[in-house]
Amino acid sequence: MSNYRYQGAGVGGGGVAGVRGYSGIEMREVMHPHHFTYVSQCVKYMIFMLNFVFWLFGGLLLGIGIYAFKDKWEEANGSVRLENFYDVFLNISLVLIESGMVIFLVSFSGCVGALRENTFLLKLYSMCLLLFFLMEMAIAIICFIFPQYMNTFLEKQFTDKIIHSYRDDPDLQNFIDFAQQQFKCCGLSNSGYQDWRKNEYFNCSSPSVEKCGVPYSCCINSTDISSGLVNIMCGYGVQEAPVPEARKRIWTSGCIEVVRVQAEHNLYMIAGNALFIALIQLLVIYLAKTLEGQIELQKSRWAT
């Protein structure tokens, strides 16, 4: 939808009789300029550019996820286990595919809806953003008001499954190792490093050389400073050691509790960032609805 244009030919002739070549709608706009409406190009291209960036980002996530899943599929000879919700949720490549697809499709609807002035796509776009906003607010409220409940829920629902799947999925293993090193923790629940007894490779009754041990990412000093090499055996046998001795070698607290404590210490910063993101989302929803209203109003003028 573009702005109405006024043709100069014949307007100087004065009155209605001097206007030539106008339709009924154009005549009304010439005679009543206060009825003039338009589609804001600033709002239109702001929505387009913002969503174009997210569209590229979603495509990148989707591509990385597909490549990772394909690589895993070939490595496992087509035997990737997807039997239940946890198999899908804990599969990092599938999470990337799902996230990338959602971002790709939603931002695509925002891009095309703004560029082509398609009210259906704009409505779909703003509805998806509103749904994401409400979900984020619900999660934030639960986390801030019932942190202990979230702790218990995560421990009961995910600890055993994640610990059991540590060696089954290389992507999940790398993610767990990264999290344990980043947050200086070991295991997930309040049992801390003792969680690794539930893994068949680290269980003390296992015939594995890793029995009664923990992953190297639990170690306080897993990397040799002089050589820069990682000592993957630094956690061997630590489950048999007394707790004071174990604390000298590894991080003993579970990751869920460590993350919760760190979040409480940085509560104002996290709340400020969450509020900023929420305001940005509301602003984009407002711009989308504004553009949608301008388009529908102009369509109604043409249909009159």
Side-chain angles (χ1 to χ4, degrees):
M1 298 289 177
S2 58
N3 298 351
Y4 291 118
R5 294 179 296 177
Y6 301 96
Q7 301 174 6
V11 175
V16 177
V19 181
R20 298 177 181 177
Y22 284 95
S23 67
I25 297 173
E26 291 170 326
M27 285 284 291
R28 281 194 295 273
E29 293 299 333
V30 172
M31 298 173 64
H32 305 287
H34 59 280
H35 289 308
F36 179 74
T37 183
Y38 69 99
V39 173
S40 173
Q41 299 301 301
C42 179
V43 173
K44 174 180 175 178
Y45 286 105
M46 187 183 298
I47 294 175
F48 170 77
M49 290 304 299
L50 180 65
N51 284 281
F52 182 73
V53 172
F54 277 96
W55 178 70
L56 293 177
F57 177 69
L60 179 64
L61 283 182
L62 185 59
I64 293 173
I66 292 174
Y67 176 80
F69 185 78
K70 178 176 176 293
D71 186 59
K72 185 184 297 183
W73 182 273
E74 292 175 350
E75 190 175 301
N77 295 318
S79 61
V80 178
R81 188 173 61 183
L82 299 173
E83 297 175 357
N84 51 48
F85 167 78
Y86 297 104
D87 291 336
V88 176
F89 185 79
L90 297 178
N91 191 312
I92 306 299
S93 58
L94 284 180
V95 171
L96 288 176
I97 291 174
E98 293 160 2
S99 303
M101 188 175 298
V102 170
I103 295 173
F104 184 88
L105 293 176
V106 172
S107 57
F108 180 78
S109 66
C111 273
V112 177
L115 190 64
R116 301 299 300 171
E117 300 179 8
N118 187 306
T119 53
F120 172 77
L121 289 178
L122 285 174
K123 286 179 181 178
L124 176 64
Y125 172 69
S126 58
M127 189 183 304
C128 289
L129 287 187
L130 182 60
L131 180 62
F132 295 155
F133 175 78
L134 294 176
M135 290 173 59
E136 291 164 8
M137 289 300 100
I139 293 173
I141 290 171
I142 293 173
C143 289
F144 281 113
I145 298 180
F146 308 107
Q148 202 59 46
Y149 172 79
M150 285 298 297
N151 263 27
T152 305
F153 173 79
L154 292 173
E155 286 181 8
K156 287 184 177 179
Q157 296 297 324
F158 294 104
T159 297
D160 290 354
K161 188 63 181 177
I162 289 177
I163 295 297
H164 290 160
S165 305
Y166 177 74
R167 292 291 191 198
D168 298 338
D169 187 341
D171 293 334
L172 180 62
Q173 178 177 325
N174 291 333
F175 178 76
I176 294 172
D177 287 336
F178 171 79
Q180 291 188 147
Q181 289 177 315
Q182 186 71 23
F183 294 105
K184 299 180 180 179
C185 55
C186 188
L188 290 176
S189 71
N190 287 330
S191 299
Y193 72 101
Q194 299 291 348
D195 281 340
W196 290 106
R197 290 181 176 179
K198 301 172 183 177
N199 184 279
E200 60 180 332
Y201 295 97
F202 298 108
N203 189 286
C204 289
S205 61
S206 170
S208 169
V209 295
E210 298 175 303
K211 67 178 181 179
C212 284
V214 295
Y216 77 91
S217 54
C218 289
C219 296
I220 296 174
N221 295 308
S222 60
T223 304
D224 185 272
I225 298 177
S226 58
S227 63
L229 298 176
V230 176
N231 179 13
I232 61 173
M233 297 187 295
C234 61
Y236 283 16
V238 75
Q239 292 183 38
E240 294 180 311
V243 175
E245 183 181 335
R247 286 176 177 167
K248 296 178 182 178
R249 296 171 56 187
I250 64 170
W251 312 109
T252 56
S253 299
C255 291
I256 294 176
E257 180 63 20
V258 170
V259 171
R260 185 186 69 82
V261 171
Q262 290 189 11
E264 288 180 353
H265 290 164
N266 300 279
L267 186 61
Y268 291 111
M269 184 183 70
I270 295 173
N273 291 333
L275 179 61
F276 176 75
I277 293 173
L279 291 175
I280 293 296
Q281 287 179 297
L282 289 175
L283 175 62
V284 175
I285 293 173
Y286 170 76
L287 291 176
K289 296 302 290 184
T290 299
L291 182 61
E292 178 191 328
Q294 291 175 351
I295 294 170
E296 289 183 338
L297 182 58
Q298 191 162 14
K299 281 182 176 180
S300 68
R301 300 284 187 207
W302 283 100
T304 305

